[in-house]
Amino acid sequence: MRKKQAFSLLSILLALSLVLSACGGKNNNSNATPTPTSTTDTDSNSGSTPEQPAEPTEFTIMLPLNVAETPPDTIKTEVEKLTNTKLTYQFFPADSYEEKLNASFATSSLPEVVYLKNQSTFLQMKEAIREGQFWEIGPYLEEFPNLNKLKPEILNNTKVDGKLYSLYIGRPLARQGIIYRKDWADKLGLEAPKTVDDLYVMAEKFTKEDPDGNNVDDTIGLADRNDLIYGAFKTIASWFNVPTNWGEKDGQLLPEFMFDEYFAAMDYMKKFRDNGLMNVDFAGTSKTDQVALFTSGKAGIYIGAMQDVNTLDKDLVKNVPSAVTSVHALIEGPNGNVTTWAIPGYNNVVLFPKTAIKDEAQLKSILAFFDKMMTPEVANLMFWGIENVHYTVEDGKAKASDDKELTEREVKGYKDSVIGEAETNGMLEPFHDLEARILAEQLIVENEKIAIHDPTASLDSVTFAEKGTQLQELITDATYKYMYGTIDRAGFEAAVEDWKSRGGQQIIEEFNAAYKQ
């Protein structure tokens, strides 16, 4: 009896297992409910289990705004789709950005991503970096294939005590040259100046030989402004072989204004002013007024970034329809050398505050966004905008839309935040149809080959960080006074001694100590 019961129970279990097997077979046929998949799943034949799409990475970005109005979300929305992020942009006017940056830092309210304003702001932030307020990111870059393409020589220029804390917004190393009235030069039988003497002759003829042909003494050679760096002076000084900020002399690093060539450059500018070949009040002239001198048809030479020729030419032709502009660089100095000055290769940097980013995993998720930013698709979107709306592609290059106002309103705010440069992020090069701008781009490449680099770009000086900007005002003031003729060489050298006594000598010693390490 017990044997029969046991056999019956075994039979029931066997039958039940067959039913379950049949049900399992039905789940594998085409009538079964499909498992949800995402567009990032691997091939369905691979046998791997499809993964659900990751949740968007959320973080906030603080950055300066160089246009009048905060941009709409047109570009941001597309960027979020491409990078699987949810972004909050905090735009603050560039004119008051440093004040907002300092206030946020003081109250520990900086967001996860912080763009500085410029190189000067970066120098001021170095002490906070040393104190551990920001994440060191150097060790992580090799994990991100696109970030790992950033130029090592430029990354080195942003290191603090040999460690990397920032990503950079790239800029051409040496953009400076002259923009001039080619129609005036042609009329007066002048070629593009090859030497500083040629440039002086051009300015003299533009001033004294009625290049506009109206029989009125109403033109000048050079238009300049109250900026010793991005105005004419630093570029002219580099043609005289003045070091870029600092140079080596008698076995040690010294600031540029302690070189004889600096005096030669000041004398050259003084000669321009003394002979009325430029706007004599240039130390009090704004960039707006400097530009107006050129675009109104009064001045024939503008020394600065050669890429400015697009805007200058457009506005000039509105006032003088027959005007023709051109550009030139590679000017030979009095010693026969052809040199120019170089920036450290970046316009700005971005930092990652530890007060907002709590751990390594969060940092890596944010760095992943910047890695995606350095793909052609995202870089083009953020730099140029939406294709066929803000730009078109012509001859494999980006041609900006004629609707400049739309592009400035919707794109400019994001354009200024793109990491790297075309060589590293793959974004489109610009299309130009203005002959002078095409020449400018060629000259910028040639400039880089003869550019003088700043040996202190990657060095640190505590005193320079604390007092450098304030002390530079002494030298700036003395430079203008010398070129205006209100002090002589002895007066200028007295200002240098004052600079040294107030902390300049410490800066020299600290930079030299760092240089020898």
Side-chain angles (χ1 to χ4, degrees), residues 396-466:
K397 297 182 178 182
K399 184 177 182 180
S401 165
D402 291 334
D403 193 343
K404 308 297 183 187
E405 292 183 5
L406 175 69
T407 300
E408 181 167 290
R409 183 172 66 253
E410 296 188 348
V411 183
K412 174 65 173 171
Y414 302 99
K415 177 178 184 175
D416 293 339
S417 70
V418 176
I419 298 300
E421 52 276 292
E423 301 149 83
T424 54
N425 60 33
M427 68 184 180
L428 293 168
E429 295 281 1
F431 173 86
H432 301 295
D433 50 14
L434 180 65
E435 186 176 337
R437 179 58 188 270
I438 295 170
L439 177 57
E441 294 299 326
Q442 295 169 355
L443 288 170
I444 288 169
V445 173
E446 295 303 311
N447 262 352
E448 292 193 9
K449 299 175 184 177
I450 48 94
I452 306 171
H453 295 269
D454 180 359
T456 67
S458 60
L459 303 181
D460 293 304
S461 160
V462 174
T463 307
F464 183 80
E466 293 176 352

Side-chain angles (χ1 to χ4, degrees), residues 53-58 79-86 369 372:
E55 287 295 315
T57 301
E58 296 187 35
V79 170
E80 288 176 330
K81 292 177 185 176
L82 292 174
T83 59
N84 193 31
T85 53
K86 186 174 181 181
F369 163 76
K372 291 175 184 176

Side-chain angles (χ1 to χ4, degrees), residues 175-476:
R175 300 177 292 170
Q176 310 304 105
I178 72 169
I179 300 170
Y180 69 99
R181 288 287 297 274
K182 188 177 186 302
D183 56 322
W184 286 7
D186 290 345
K187 178 182 177 181
L188 299 173
L190 298 170
E191 296 182 352
K194 295 181 175 61
T195 69
V196 290
D197 289 338
D198 291 343
L199 179 62
Y200 184 87
V201 169
M202 176 180 277
E204 188 172 43
K205 289 183 178 293
F206 280 3
T207 303
K208 299 179 179 180
E209 296 192 10
D210 193 26
D212 59 1
N214 66 354
N215 296 315
V216 178
D217 184 15
D218 61 351
T219 60
I220 57 173
L222 174 66
D224 195 22
R225 67 178 184 266
N226 57 352
D227 187 335
L228 291 181
I229 298 175
Y230 297 105
F233 180 73
K234 193 172 188 69
T235 299
I236 287 174
S238 72
W239 299 336
F240 278 76
N241 209 36
V242 173
T244 299
N245 303 328
W246 289 72
E248 193 166 349
K249 180 180 179 182
D250 299 330
Q252 65 173 332
L253 293 180
L254 292 173
E256 60 186 354
F257 49 83
M258 293 180 69
F259 286 73
D260 289 338
E261 292 86 351
Y262 193 89
F263 282 96
M266 288 194 295
D267 287 334
Y268 182 79
M269 285 283 288
K270 185 176 186 301
K271 187 178 177 182
F272 266 72
R273 183 179 183 276
D274 288 349
N275 291 319
L277 309 185
M278 65 184 298
N279 50 314
V280 296
D281 60 343
F282 68 97
T285 301
S286 67
K287 182 177 181 179
T288 300
D289 290 338
Q290 176 204 19
V291 167
L293 286 171
F294 188 88
T295 57
S296 67
K298 181 174 181 179
I301 303 169
Y302 175 101
I303 297 177
M306 290 182 286
Q307 294 163 322
D308 290 345
V309 71
N310 285 76
T311 303
L312 293 177
D313 183 88
K314 182 184 71 173
D315 292 340
L316 171 63
V317 170
K318 288 179 183 177
N319 296 314
V320 188
S322 61
V324 179
T325 60
S326 191
V327 298
H328 196 59
L330 311 176
I331 305 294
E332 183 181 305
N335 59 3
N337 293 335
V338 178
T339 51
T340 191
W341 65 284
I343 65 170
Y346 66 93
N347 183 54
N348 198 1
V349 299
V350 56
L351 296 171
F352 306 92
K354 286 186 175 179
T355 51
I357 300 176
K358 302 303 182 183
D359 55 35
E360 184 182 77
Q362 187 182 8
L363 174 65
K364 286 186 177 182
S365 68
I366 294 171
L367 288 176
F369 163 76
F370 284 96
D371 191 66
K372 291 175 184 176
M373 184 194 288
M374 285 191 64
T375 60
E377 187 176 21
V378 180
N380 281 329
L381 174 64
M382 297 186 72
F383 192 89
W384 292 111
I386 298 170
E387 187 175 354
N388 297 321
V389 177
H390 304 106
Y391 75 98
T392 55
V393 178
E394 191 163 330
D395 294 336
K397 297 182 178 182
K399 184 177 182 180
S401 165
D402 291 334
D403 193 343
K404 308 297 183 187
E405 292 183 5
L406 175 69
T407 300
E408 181 167 290
R409 183 172 66 253
E410 296 188 348
V411 183
K412 174 65 173 171
Y414 302 99
K415 177 178 184 175
D416 293 339
S417 70
V418 176
I419 298 300
E421 52 276 292
E423 301 149 83
T424 54
N425 60 33
M427 68 184 180
L428 293 168
E429 295 281 1
F431 173 86
H432 301 295
D433 50 14
L434 180 65
E435 186 176 337
R437 179 58 188 270
I438 295 170
L439 177 57
E441 294 299 326
Q442 295 169 355
L443 288 170
I444 288 169
V445 173
E446 295 303 311
N447 262 352
E448 292 193 9
K449 299 175 184 177
I450 48 94
I452 306 171
H453 295 269
D454 180 359
T456 67
S458 60
L459 303 181
D460 293 304
S461 160
V462 174
T463 307
F464 183 80
E466 293 176 352
K467 302 179 179 180
T469 302
Q470 178 185 354
L471 288 175
Q472 183 58 40
E473 293 176 3
L474 294 173
I475 304 303
T476 298

